[in-house]
Amino acid sequence: MEIAIETICDIGYAQASIGQIAKRAGVSKGVITYHFPSKDELMQNIVEDLYLKGASFMSKIATESTASNMLRRYIETNLEFILAHKQHVAAVAEIVMNVRDEEGKLIYHQPADNAIYVPLIEILQWGQEDGSFRPILPTSAQVLAMTIRSAIDLASQQLVANPDFNMKEYAKELIQLFEAATRKSPI
Amino acid sequence: MEIAIETICDIGYAQASIGQIAKRAGVSKGVITYHFPSKDELMQNIVEDLYLKGASFMSKIATESTASNMLRRYIETNLEFILAHKQHVAAVAEIVMNVRDEEGKLIYHQPADNAIYVPLIEILQWGQEDGSFRPILPTSAQVLAMTIRSAIDLASQQLVANPDFNMKEYAKELIQLFEAATRKSPI
Amino acid sequence: MEIAIETICDIGYAQASIGQIAKRAGVSKGVITYHFPSKDELMQNIVEDLYLKGASFMSKIATESTASNMLRRYIETNLEFILAHKQHVAAVAEIVMNVRDEEGKLIYHQPADNAIYVPLIEILQWGQEDGSFRPILPTSAQVLAMTIRSAIDLASQQLVANPDFNMKEYAKELIQLFEAATRKSPI
Amino acid sequence: MEIAIETICDIGYAQASIGQIAKRAGVSKGVITYHFPSKDELMQNIVEDLYLKGASFMSKIATESTASNMLRRYIETNLEFILAHKQHVAAVAEIVMNVRDEEGKLIYHQPADNAIYVPLIEILQWGQEDGSFRPILPTSAQVLAMTIRSAIDLASQQLVANPDFNMKEYAKELIQLFEAATRKSPI
DNA sequence: GATGAATGAGACTTCATTCAT
DNA sequence: TATGAATGAAGTCTCATTCAT
């Protein structure tokens, strides 16, 4: 699976055939289809594996005591996770945007699905209720959450494309940026 | 080409084989390879076509007289463009993230390439020089530009996944968000 | 047809598609299929054209009065003809060795067909009957004829592959060679 | 590979598609591209295989002690080899005259290449130096070598076209012919 | 006469998958 | 467990041919 992840990162999902992965792993093709009923299941395993890793990683976030700290922690933790598993994250991004069912619909990626934004929206809601953030209407919270999330996801792309990408700095800047964006306006 | 764009939008780049495109267009496969030397050239045409459309569209932005207005206009215009050519934009996104050369490197998409962020960075620089934005260090400008751009690109994904996506609202919110993020801090 | 001949010479029969020929001629593909019912008929015309040219050329040979002169004249005339129509001859060689019917049998080239050797065999027979050549049994005459013919055909290949090929010299040498081979032995 | 050779012999290089070969072999097309990366490599293998066979076969020739015997042995051995591997030889002849690169140039067959004539030229040189052959100028030796070679190559064509072709007789006659052609003239 | 669009067959190749060993 | 042979579907591309204009 590690080699599969590397391969997908290097040459993309479409080119990452079982033959290619096997060649890079120095084993026969058969050994892959022996361990995984199908290519799709291999991919599913890679995706689920990352979710498991992610779940434990993300549990830290909830420990913060203020909305502002929690937002900061959300960004930090997500970017740390991406840094810690950069290839895995990039591979899953490839899989998620390419695996489709027979009808052609994406299986994993549901851009219309709001679930991914829910935690962020909750933080924002909490923050504006307790007065630590500026007033944020539900619509604004939604868009803010989308923006934060897309900025985080961008880090993964940058990281694989450019090994010198400075994640620490990016995190610091992103936190500062969204603090400015949620801060109460001047009187 | 229109059918090709539709097909890529519907079932993704990888599944959008010449056979599929031809079937949807109600013509024979040969008719496509007759008009385009190869599939790659068809894709290239689709990409270039969008760039041409985009270039004329974007020229409006430069006409604004303040950095703040220009940033607003940048966001507005980009989102209008995405709305006006939603399928084409989505198809190009698919192409750009999937077409690779023999070595496996992406041909069109260069995440490490900074060129796309330059216009935004210039706006931000201008704005902080003339005092209409808060002080923004070069690093911050870079990250801010990346964030704005990724929020804009997200709109395209949302639009194809969800026909009810309200672009007007999204634009309004995004403008407001980045105004808050660039506004001078309270004293 | 001239362009077709050139094309076949340059890139071989298999690659000489109607499209290639049309492109080199600067006309549309249609113009070829308009003038020739099918590609096969175009090829047939090229072959027949050369036969017509050849027939008039070869008539000179019969005018010689001795077998020895006639053999010399046969070689000379054939090589002159090849030189005069080098591309056409080479193209026909390509066609003759490649055009096959649905069963896969060569249409033009019948290596087992003895017809092509008959004129030479007659010269040799005549020469040994009138005593100007050494005794040559029928089997020997057959092989001698085959050898002469293949040496002549070789000239065409050499000519297209090597523009500096000296045909005059080759003719002189070939004549000398087969004079030595047919000369009466020393007592 | 054996079936490929048979197929090429039967229906020619151009018609000998992987599909045809597979059908005759009673296997699926995939099995061929499984064992050979590409059709070109299959053909290359067939050619190289024959060269290997040929190399060991031809080593016998050098053992002769006189130029005259060596020439005889050269002809004999070559024709024996052709007889022993008639299909393989014929297939390679097809390949050699048809496989071209993208520019249209023959890859294997270089009619302008003199290498193939060198052994024969050396025999002839040797023979005229030690006085067993008539005086043969370099130019004559070249043409003589070409003639011998083309007469030998002709045998392969005859053999596949006509199963009754008598190779033994052909060899005997060819030897006799070229002995006559190299014999010293009468005083 | 000439053109260019269109077709459909067939070629090579890739690939996920199956299976005997 | 692991391998390598084999399969068959699908993909891209080439090409002779047809046909309306």
Side-chain angles (χ1 to χ4, degrees), chain B residues 26-31 33-35:
Chain B
V27 297
S28 73
K29 268 189 309 187
V31 86
T33 54
Y34 172 75
H35 287 284

Side-chain angles (χ1 to χ4, degrees), chain B residues 78-100:
Chain B
N78 270 281
L79 293 178
E80 277 166 20
F81 181 76
I82 289 170
L83 184 60
H85 306 98
K86 55 182 166 183
Q87 293 212 110
H88 202 158
V89 170
V92 168
E94 274 284 320
I95 294 169
V96 143
M97 288 196 317
N98 280 292
V99 176
R100 293 170 183 258

Side-chain angles (χ1 to χ4, degrees), chain D residues 23-107:
Chain D
K23 195 197 290 179
R24 285 178 178 235
V27 296
S28 73
K29 265 191 311 187
V31 85
I32 294 178
T33 55
Y34 172 74
H35 288 284
F36 297 93
S38 73
K39 189 185 179 184
D40 283 353
E41 296 222 22
L42 167 58
M43 296 304 159
Q44 199 181 328
N45 272 34
I46 292 176
V47 171
E48 283 171 0
D49 223 54
L50 188 70
Y51 277 155
L52 291 180
K53 283 184 190 168
S56 68
F57 216 95
M58 296 310 156
S59 59
K60 303 187 214 167
I61 300 170
T63 64
E64 294 294 332
S65 57
T66 72
S68 178
N69 283 348
M70 204 159 158
L71 178 57
R72 167 204 298 265
R73 192 61 178 272
Y74 180 94
I75 295 171
E76 261 173 19
T77 308
N78 270 281
L79 292 178
E80 277 165 18
F81 181 75
I82 290 171
L83 183 61
H85 306 98
K86 54 183 165 183
Q87 292 212 110
H88 202 159
V89 171
V92 169
E94 275 284 319
I95 294 170
V96 143
M97 289 196 317
N98 279 292
V99 176
R100 294 169 183 259
D101 59 22
E102 321 83 44
E103 284 181 37
K105 285 194 206 123
L106 289 166
I107 290 178

